[in-house]
Structures are given as structure tokens and as C-alpha cells.
């Protein structure tokens, strides 16, 4: 059970990580992330590789959060304050008065993450995903369809940005991820670890419905608009989602869900 | 070719529909909608059943918009102003200085819309979708997968809300839609028009991959959380998307994309 600490002063130095949340989103948080809301904080409490640094909770919500607080380590401070104090600290009206800060413990690098995966595993490999909503949606779908890991190139935004965590419904805290070095040779990396690469593109060579099951698939996704690097597309098998004429445009997170469902459904049918 | 009208005064009464866009989003617009950005305005210029009332464009962007302006009726006024004037009028920094107002012409009711559809056609039937991002995403997927019409129950938000149009990438202006009366008997309505109803639910009876093709499918989708009405689920065939244990949560727009892709892919395979 976590340790409840009543606070009344918005300037209490123990609450510094919660100060001016929006401004800090922009300038970085030294490895700390902010989680908001009951569902996300619940995911955080059970996430391996994540340490809850503290919680800041509206005092009138403590009882409703008791089940989650019971699952936190005994030394995790839970600062309890009146809702207006929390809003003052954060700099905006905090929905339901539930905030937490956390940190990843010893995050693996991409090689170590891939090397530790089980024999049957799919991964996402994201290139240039700079939009936090899309990043959150990609992690949400990764969790929903049992993706084992997400690899991010150097041009992706941080999955632990506050809004990305929220849109992911906490999946950004659950699905292991690692960032690739800028000079990584992706096709070589996938071959080393026995992954079939599958690059999604509107001009992909194979229709999704014709993609057979495989024990290990790495789904490569680029940002809407620019898409994946042309050199990469030449070196990895490519797949396309059929669409109606005249409006061939899908959101990248939605597209990931369509492909991941196909991989899960065909694997199940193959067994 | 539309008619260019230079304006310099933010208080020009002809620009009243563009004043304080965000506040007007909240209080309603008397049937007028606001379109933003080149891609959406391009869709508006070609959309049947939509009349562009006027455009408000940063003067330095007129040349780059010439191809779209050429496709508007000759009497459509295009107000050209300096970007700072546009930002003053709208009340925020207008991305790339491109705004338009439009109106639906004689929108059909649900019965008329269904009666006019071709023999092979899928429709979305949305219940309680109150989130503008989700509404936009649903329309985007509807357009991408060739959905013929969208029907909205009384608890859905307006697809022509500014943000819903933007998230839909203009699809909300292209896919015909109609609102259902609050007391509509949906299963009876679908039967009358020869639609197979398919209600998406985490506890759906049939796995999506096992759903066979049909000439006319109505996909029923409810809001995340509450989902579809229990009585409706008892009266319509239900379908579920398989997910990983422990995180059975998909965004409703993503879920629509997964089902619509299945319908399109199996129909193609059936031919």
C-alpha cells in the first residue's frame, strides 16, 4: 500500500514534478513521464519496467483509488490535495484529479529487446511518427493485438509524452519499446533476428488479404504523407490495404490495426 | 472560377460567418459548416450536395489555390486578406490561412437515403458517437472503404463540426449521411431495405474473420465504453474482433476500419 501524504501548499517542493505540466511537456522531463486518469494509472501500477515515482490525487478520490494504491510499493508517496490545489499546481483543470509521475527502469536497447523476444512474436517498426495522437493509437493497437515490442527510429516522437500515453489508454507503459540508432540498417537487423519485414505502403506489392501467416513479422509503418523511405521499400516486402477509388487515405494507427488484425486472425486460422 | 474580393477590415460584415470560429463551434452555426485547409476545401469543391458559401484565404495563397477556385461556381465569393487579418477574424492562428464556409443542400432523411442506394452497398449505423475525433475517423474510414452512407442516431455529434471535418480529411463532406429519428426501430429499418445488420461488440457472437460476404451490410457501432444498446445486440447479429488477453480495447474508428477492410477484402475474394 502506498503512503498517503496530505499537501495543501501548491508550492510544496515535493510537488515540483507536477508544476506547469503543459510547459514541461514542451521542454522535457528528464526521463519522468506524467500519467493521467484512473485507467492509465492502473496500467502504470501493473507495468513491468516502470516505477511510479509518486501520485497526486484529489483527496475526495482516494477511496475510489484504493484498489490501485494497494498495488503500489509501500514507499510510493501519494500526495493528496484538494482539487483546486491540484489544478493550481498543474496549471489546468485536471480531469478527475488524478495524476502520477513515473520512470522507465533500465530500458533495453533495440538489439537487447529483439534478442529477448519469444520465438513467435510480432513487432512494430515505426519511422517518422511525430504526431502524439498517432503514436498513442499505434501503441493502443499494439497492445490490443499482442505486439511484443515497438521499435522507433530517430524521427519518432516520445511514446511517453503525456498525450501519447493518454491516447494509448496506458499501452505506451505496457508494450516494451526501444529507439533505433539513426544509422541502423533495418532490413539487416530484422534478418538477424529472424523477422519477416512487411512495409505498409499505398503502393505495396501484395494485397493484405494475401499475406500468409509467419512466426515473426515486423510491420514497418511511416508517417502519413511522406510514408516510408523509398530505399527501405525496395529492400523489404511491401503490402497494401485495398481502398475505394478516389479516397485512398487511412490514418496510420487505423492502418496498423487493420494489418495487426490480419496477422492475428490468419495465425489463429493457421493453428 | 470563383470571384476574388479583397478585404482589409476584420469587421467587414461579409466576414461575419468567420468571426470567433471557436466560440461558434460551441453555440452552433445555423447549418453552416467551416472547412479548413487545402485538402478539405478541395473535397468541398467537388462534393455533391454541398454548396460553398464563401472562402476566406490569405492573399499570398491565392495562386496556390487557383486550381481549386477554378472548380467553384462563378458567384462564390473568395475573400482575400492578409494572414494577420484572417487570424484576427477567426480568433486563432489559421493554419496556412485557408477557411471556407459551406452548407448542405436538401439533405435526405434516413429512409430516402437508404431507398436511393445501389443494390450492393454497405452503410455505417452509428449510435452515441459524441467524440468529434472518433466521428471524423469513422467518416475517413467510410470513405476509404467505399461505404455508401452513414446513419446517425439522435445521440451522435454533428459530422460537420469543424474538427470532425478536419479529422475526416474532408470525408464528412463526401459520404452521404442522415440522422435517424429517436424512436427508429433499427432492425426493422435494416430489414425493410435488405441490409444484413452486423453489430460490433467485444462480446460479439461471431469472429470477424468468419463473417461471410453479403451484398448489403449495415455495420452498427456504439461509443467506446457504453457500446451498443443491449436490446439492439439481442436483435442483430453481432461480431467481435479477436484481441490479445488483458487489453481488449480498440478505438471505435480503428475498429470500423478493421471490419470495413474485412468486408471489402472478402467481397473482392468472392467475385
Amino acid at each position: 500500500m502506498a503512503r498517503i501524504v496530505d499537501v495543501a501548499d501548491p508550492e510544496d517542493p515535493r510537488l515540483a514534478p507536477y508544476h506547469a505540466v503543459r510547459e514541461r511537456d514542451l521542454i522535457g522531463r528528464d526521463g519522468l513521464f506524467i500519467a493521467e486518469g484512473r485507467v492509465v494509472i492502473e496500467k502504470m501500477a501493473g507495468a513491468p519496467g516502470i516505477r511510479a515515482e509518486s501520485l497526486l490525487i484529489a483527496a475526495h478520490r482516494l477511496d475510489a483509488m484504493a484498489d490501485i494504491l494497494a498495488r503500489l510499493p509501500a514507499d510510493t508517496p501519494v500526495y493528496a490535495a484538494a482539487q483546486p490545489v491540484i489544478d493550481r499546481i498543474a496549471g489546468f483543470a485536471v480531469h478527475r484529479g488524478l495524476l502520477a509521475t513515473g520512470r522507465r527502469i533500465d530500458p533495453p536497447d533495440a538489439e537487447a529487446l529483439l534478442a529477448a523476444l519469444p520465438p513467435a512474436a510480432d513487432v512494430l517498426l515505426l519511422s517518422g511518427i511525430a504526431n502524439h495522437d498517432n503514436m498513442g493509437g499505434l501503441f493502443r493497437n499494439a497492445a490490443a493485438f499482442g505486439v511484443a515490442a515497438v521499435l522507433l527510429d530517430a524521427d519518432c516522437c516520445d511514446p511517453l509524452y503525456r498525450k501519447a500515453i493518454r491516447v494509448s489508454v496506458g499501452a505506451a507503459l505496457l508494450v516494451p519499446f526501444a529507439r533505433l540508432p539513426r544509422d541502423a540498417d533495418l532490413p539487416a537487423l530484422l534478418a538477424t533476428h529472424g523477422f519477416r519485414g512487411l512495409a505498409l505502403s499505398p503502393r505495396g506489392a501484395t494485397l493484405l488479404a494475401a499475406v500468409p501467416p509467419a512466426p515473426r513479422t515486423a510491420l514497418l509503418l511511416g508517417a502519413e504523407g511522406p510514408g516510408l523511405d523509398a530505399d527501405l521499400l525496395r529492400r523489404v516486402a511491401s503490402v497494401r490495404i485495398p481502398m475505394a477509388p478516389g479516397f485512398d487515405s487511412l490514418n496510420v494507427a487505423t492502418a496498423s490495426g487493420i494489418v495487426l488484425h490480419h496477422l492475428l486472425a490468419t495465425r489463429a486460422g493457421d493453428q
Side-chain angles (χ1 to χ4, degrees), chain A:
Chain A
M1 177 69 182
R3 179 169 53 90
I4 312 289
V5 182
D6 290 314
V7 288
D9 176 9
E11 301 303 320
D12 189 313
R14 295 171 296 183
L15 303 183
Y18 296 97
H19 263 275
V21 164
R22 285 184 174 152
E23 285 72 15
R24 297 164 73 96
D25 282 343
L26 301 175
I27 58 172
R29 325 190 128 264
D30 299 322
L32 271 190
F33 61 81
I34 290 262
E36 303 168 296
R38 183 185 160 89
V39 174
V40 170
I41 293 175
E42 185 172 20
K43 298 277 194 300
M44 182 171 105
I50 296 285
R51 182 173 60 230
E53 297 276 328
S54 73
L55 280 69
L56 174 57
I57 296 188
H60 70 282
R61 302 269 303 168
L62 277 174
D63 284 352
M65 290 287 284
D67 56 330
I68 296 174
L69 302 186
R71 289 158 52 198
L72 290 168
D75 60 344
T76 309
V78 177
Y79 301 108
Q83 175 86 42
V85 175
I86 293 180
D87 296 347
R88 275 270 301 284
I89 295 166
F92 62 100
V94 176
H95 185 59
R96 305 210 170 168
L98 299 172
L99 290 174
T101 56
R103 197 180 290 280
R104 296 177 85 196
I105 310 160
D106 300 328
D109 67 19
E111 281 282 359
L113 184 55
L114 288 174
L117 294 180
D122 295 331
V123 301
L124 290 188
L125 204 161
L126 307 181
S127 173
I129 305 292
N131 176 293
H132 295 111
D133 289 84
N134 286 342
M135 185 59 81
L138 286 159
F139 269 84
R140 183 174 181 178
N141 293 343
F145 292 112
V147 162
V150 178
L151 302 177
L152 311 163
D153 79 358
D155 298 322
C156 285
C157 66
D158 182 5
L160 298 186
Y161 180 90
R162 186 167 58 96
K163 192 176 185 195
I165 297 176
R166 191 172 72 221
V167 173
S168 82
V169 200
L173 306 176
L174 296 175
V175 182
F177 69 88
R179 203 169 281 272
L180 294 156
R182 189 170 283 279
D183 59 356
D185 183 329
L186 300 182
L189 183 73
L190 298 179
T192 300
H193 293 279
F195 279 88
R196 166 182 69 176
L198 209 57
L200 187 65
S201 163
R203 292 163 298 285
T206 308
L207 267 179
L208 175 60
V211 171
R216 291 193 144 192
T217 299
L219 174 60
L220 283 70
L221 298 161
E224 291 171 52
L228 289 164
D229 178 73
D231 179 57
L232 196 59
L233 279 172
R234 274 190 293 274
R235 295 175 62 200
V236 176
S238 62
V239 63
R240 72 180 187 279
I241 295 172
M243 279 179 254
F247 197 93
D248 56 346
S249 160
L250 282 176
N251 169 271
V252 65
T254 297
S256 78
I258 293 169
V259 179
L260 292 174
H261 168 261
H262 173 81
L263 295 177
L264 189 71
T266 51
R267 177 172 297 157
D270 197 44
Q271 279 166 355

